[in-house]
Amino acid sequence: GVDIEIRSADLQSLGFQAGATYTDEERQESFGPDMAPPKEGWNAGLRVSYNVYAGGSVTANRAGQQERIAAAQAGFESALAATVMKVRTDFYGALLARSRIAVREEAVQLNEQQLKLARNRFDSGAGSQFEVLRAEVALSNSRPPLIRAREEHRTAIDQVRQTIGVPFAPGQGPGDIDLKGGWDIPGKPFELCPLLELARKARAELRRAEALVAASRHALDA
């Protein structure tokens, strides 16, 4: 809308004016029977104007507004990219939390096997009570990390849901959501210098800043 308003300064402008006057007979002076002024007066006018020269301000304002539009588009692209990155980060965080559950479950299973082996050795006389006690302590210590891993997985799934904006179905919670997909392993290693050069060319925040600087320069010209 602002762009249309600025561009209208280069277009023709059409104006219409009209008016009427009426003079009361008691306030009207007579200069003779044939020279009495009229009691009523009507006037109307039509004017067309066109901007011939404005010192370049109209052109500068239009160019500045185009830069502001470009800055707004770059800002939208930046917000969109940040949202996509947030979704990906939360999704991979939930996958990582799920992988930690598998690791903790394997640790608990290993400690259970170690406890079973220690008890068998103790029952057969080849082991001591201390080995059984140490295996029991190790098993007990491995269970809290598993509980924390499961709670972190529920929290991570709920974070993904909040980021995407999907409500839970009636009667469902984070434990009822099963994420599909896996890790995207890059096919080749990243190189820093080409990525920095790509960021300078394609980063929306930089393009937005450059557009705002250009718009300020055009405003100074105007």
Side-chain angles (χ1 to χ4, degrees):
V2 176
D3 182 61
I4 294 176
E5 181 180 359
I6 292 176
R7 286 190 289 111
S8 66
D10 265 348
L11 303 178
Q12 295 87 350
S13 175
L14 178 64
F16 177 77
Q17 294 179 346
T21 59
Y22 177 80
T23 303
D24 187 84
E25 293 180 358
E26 296 180 357
R27 298 180 58 86
Q28 192 173 22
E29 297 181 1
S30 176
F31 298 95
D34 298 329
M35 301 180 59
K39 295 187 299 181
E40 298 180 358
W42 301 84
N43 64 83
L46 186 65
R47 183 176 64 178
V48 178
S49 61
Y50 182 75
N51 184 18
V52 178
Y53 179 74
S57 62
V58 176
T59 304
N61 284 329
R62 291 185 59 182
Q65 186 58 26
Q66 291 299 324
E67 294 293 345
R68 295 185 187 92
I69 292 176
Q73 292 174 345
F76 170 76
E77 294 176 7
S78 175
L80 181 61
T83 303
V84 172
M85 181 178 178
K86 183 69 165 57
V87 172
R88 290 180 176 176
T89 302
D90 293 343
F91 177 76
Y92 288 130
L95 294 182
L96 177 61
R98 186 176 63 185
S99 300
R100 287 174 178 171
I101 292 177
V103 173
R104 297 302 181 184
E105 288 177 346
E106 291 179 359
V108 171
Q109 294 175 1
L110 178 60
N111 289 325
E112 289 175 349
Q113 294 176 1
Q114 293 291 336
L115 176 59
K116 182 178 179 180
L117 179 61
R119 287 175 177 174
N120 292 336
R121 288 172 56 85
F122 177 74
D123 294 338
S124 62
S128 62
Q129 182 66 32
F130 175 74
E131 294 178 352
V132 177
L133 180 60
R134 183 172 58 182
E136 290 176 350
V137 172
L139 177 59
S140 299
N141 291 336
S142 63
R143 284 171 177 167
L146 175 59
I147 297 175
R148 287 194 297 268
R150 289 172 177 171
E151 292 300 325
E152 290 173 357
H153 181 240
R154 293 190 182 95
T155 303
I157 288 182
D158 189 61
Q159 182 62 46
V160 174
R161 180 193 63 82
Q162 293 181 13
T163 302
I164 298 177
V166 178
F168 283 125
Q172 288 187 349
D176 301 318
I177 296 179
D178 184 20
L179 296 180
K180 303 296 182 181
W183 299 96
D184 293 335
I185 301 177
K188 59 181 180 179
F190 294 108
E191 297 181 4
L192 181 59
C193 292
L195 289 180
L196 291 177
E197 185 65 23
L198 179 62
R200 293 188 185 98
K201 294 180 180 179
R203 191 64 182 251
E205 291 88 343
L206 296 179
R207 288 191 285 109
R208 178 178 182 273
E210 292 173 353
L212 290 177
V213 170
S216 300
R217 290 173 179 170
H218 289 302
L220 181 60
D221 294 339

